[in-house]
Amino acid sequence: MSKFWSPVVSRLVPYVPGEQPSDSSVIKLNTNENPYGPSPIALGAIRAATQDSLRLYPDPGAARLRTAVAGTFGLSPENVFAGNGSDEILAHAFHGFFSGRDPIVFPDITYSFYRTYCELYGIAHRTVPLDDGFQVDVASLKDPCGGIVVANPNAPTGIALGLGAIETILDQNRDVVVIVDEAYVDFGADSAASLVPNHDNLLVVQTFSKSRSLAGLRVGFALGQPHLIEALQRIRDSFNSYPLDRLALAGAEAAWTHTDWFEETRHMVIASRERLAADLTDLGFDVLPSAANFLFVSHGTVAAAELAAKLRSDGILVRHFPVGRINNHLRISVGTDEECDALVRAIRSIIGTGYRP
Ligand SMILES: *Cc1c(COP(=O)(O)O)cnc(C)c1O
């Protein structure tokens, strides 16, 4: 607290990102980063862009990147907004579509940044509970509201909704914007991008951070009809006209078109996820069905907080959210098979030989 803080700053409850340790020997399974590196072609493009032209501002409209992304989805560049990570795009979307409206709605267990943006922009919100299986109940998303946000697959559960369910949510809420946050979609869910042409209230948000291994570059994009994209551009141009620097644009364009690398690495992550899910089930964990690059698990006898603390002292970070009914769950990012094996070995020795499934 300081007398210099504005009332907004004083009342903020900032999002707490997962720990980024400086010790590189730590096995990091706590922030859903991709265990495989970015496309080597993307890295080459970033290096090639590291030159005298950095004295010039980048393309504020990110035209080449938007054209490439649009082409993949059968859309046009007017359907694409590019931003400095999807978090920034989500912030602009909350500001542009939700502030000054009725309370918006999102599930009680979801990406905690949604609540943070509501605080930042003074947006009223209410939550609807996930069901006992941690699934989104589509019927709970039909009362009048100022807007809806769903992560698909959801975080931190990893559970995906089918496109039929997304369409139902869109049809039940035709007069407000529905944001579908697809940060993890490439690991096993269907993108709602195909619904953009027929739904004027849909904004799909994706990121290069997870499936394209570029969390450090900060690139995300949104897909929607031109009137929604224009709103995001108006906010951007009233905030920071150059959200993507020249290196980010060069890297993202190259990463987007290097589809072999993308396909190969995402399938490796999916295979490791299934292997880890089977190993953890054998160790007595309840493992939610994941369509993401992480697993959400709880153990029958050992408390999540204790497991997280002991894994930490073994040099393995996982994420524990000490809140409400997920207090006894852990979110474990899928690493390489070697990292997953090290995790399973560590858990086995923590649980001890006493446990019999
Ligand atoms: C990681 C994540 C994001 C943010 O991604 P950035 O593009 O790195 O800002 C957004 N939504 C969810 C649900 C995420 O897990």
Side-chain angles (χ1 to χ4, degrees), residues 31-32 84-88 90 111 114 151 153-155 181-184 205-210 214-215 218-220 294 331:
T31 50
N32 297 343
N84 188 262
S86 55
D87 285 339
E88 182 190 76
L90 289 166
Y111 190 39
Y114 305 152
N154 196 12
D181 178 354
E182 296 188 337
Y184 302 102
V205 181
Q206 290 195 11
T207 177
F208 281 68
S209 295
K210 315 293 176 25
L214 286 167
R218 313 304 305 131
V219 184
F294 56 84
R331 191 196 67 190

Side-chain angles (χ1 to χ4, degrees), residues 215-227:
L217 200 65
R218 313 304 305 131
V219 184
F221 62 87
L223 306 171
Q225 293 191 6
H227 57 273

Side-chain angles (χ1 to χ4, degrees), residues 32-152:
N32 297 343
E33 287 139 327
N34 198 311
Y36 304 107
S39 147
I41 296 178
L43 295 178
I46 294 167
R47 278 186 212 106
T50 307
Q51 44 146 305
D52 187 59
S53 60
L54 280 177
R55 72 192 177 78
L56 302 172
Y57 281 105
D59 172 13
R64 281 211 306 272
L65 177 61
R66 288 165 62 215
T67 301
V69 168
T72 302
F73 293 107
L75 297 168
S76 79
E78 289 68 44
N79 295 118
V80 185
F81 178 83
N84 188 262
S86 55
D87 285 339
E88 182 190 76
I89 298 173
L90 289 166
H92 288 347
F94 272 58
H95 203 181
F97 303 124
F98 297 159
S99 79
R101 294 192 183 264
D102 289 340
I104 68 159
V105 180
F106 45 84
D108 60 342
I109 298 167
T110 192
Y111 190 39
S112 53
F113 234 130
Y114 305 152
R115 206 180 285 267
T116 304
Y117 294 135
C118 286
E119 300 290 332
L120 176 60
Y121 294 118
I123 298 164
H125 69 274
R126 59 189 163 79
T127 59
V128 293
L130 296 183
D131 70 17
D132 291 342
F134 291 102
Q135 305 261 0
V136 173
D137 174 13
V138 171
S140 71
L141 294 170
K142 66 174 187 312
D143 294 336
C145 65
I148 290 186
V149 193
V150 287
N152 192 37

Side-chain angles (χ1 to χ4, degrees), residues 160-352:
L161 280 176
L163 276 196
I166 298 290
E167 232 176 331
T168 302
I169 296 171
L170 290 164
D171 290 338
Q172 287 173 168
N173 297 280
R174 287 175 196 267
D175 294 327
V176 296
V177 171
V178 175
I179 298 177
V180 182
D181 178 354
E182 296 188 337
Y184 302 102
V185 73
D186 297 321
F187 299 108
D190 291 326
S191 175
S194 61
L195 304 179
V196 162
N198 293 322
H199 294 272
D200 63 4
N201 59 336
L202 168 63
L203 191 79
V204 175
V205 181
Q206 290 195 11
T207 177
F208 281 68
S209 295
K210 315 293 176 25
S211 57
R212 286 187 170 75
S213 302
L214 286 167
L217 200 65
R218 313 304 305 131
V219 184
F221 62 87
L223 306 171
Q225 293 191 6
H227 57 273
L228 299 186
I229 300 305
E230 187 186 340
L232 296 175
Q233 289 165 343
R234 289 171 65 103
I235 298 238
R236 176 198 63 203
D237 291 335
S238 308
F239 181 81
N240 171 14
S241 304
Y242 305 103
L244 293 180
D245 61 63
R246 285 175 171 270
L247 306 186
L249 287 171
E253 284 160 36
W256 189 259
T257 47
H258 193 180
T259 49
D260 289 353
W261 184 268
F262 165 69
E263 291 297 341
E264 196 182 318
T265 52
R266 86 185 169 105
H267 283 111
M268 280 157 71
V269 170
I270 292 168
S272 299
R273 176 186 74 209
E274 296 310 307
R275 194 168 162 271
L276 178 60
D279 286 349
L280 293 177
T281 304
D282 285 347
L283 285 171
F285 283 88
D286 180 43
V287 180
L288 294 189
S290 173
N293 67 339
F294 56 84
L295 295 171
F296 200 52
V297 306
S298 65
H299 193 262
T301 54
V302 186
E306 181 188 339
L307 259 178
K310 289 188 169 161
L311 285 169
R312 184 169 217 297
S313 56
D314 288 340
I316 301 176
L317 297 183
V318 298
R319 191 93 195 249
H320 175 234
F321 300 95
V323 289
R325 62 180 166 136
I326 60 170
N327 183 34
N328 202 31
H329 279 73
L330 294 177
R331 191 196 67 190
I332 303 175
S333 309
V334 176
T336 61
D337 278 345
E338 293 67 35
E339 291 172 326
C340 293
D341 287 348
L343 171 79
V344 167
R345 275 196 305 277
I347 291 176
R348 193 175 285 128
S349 81
I350 291 165
I351 291 175

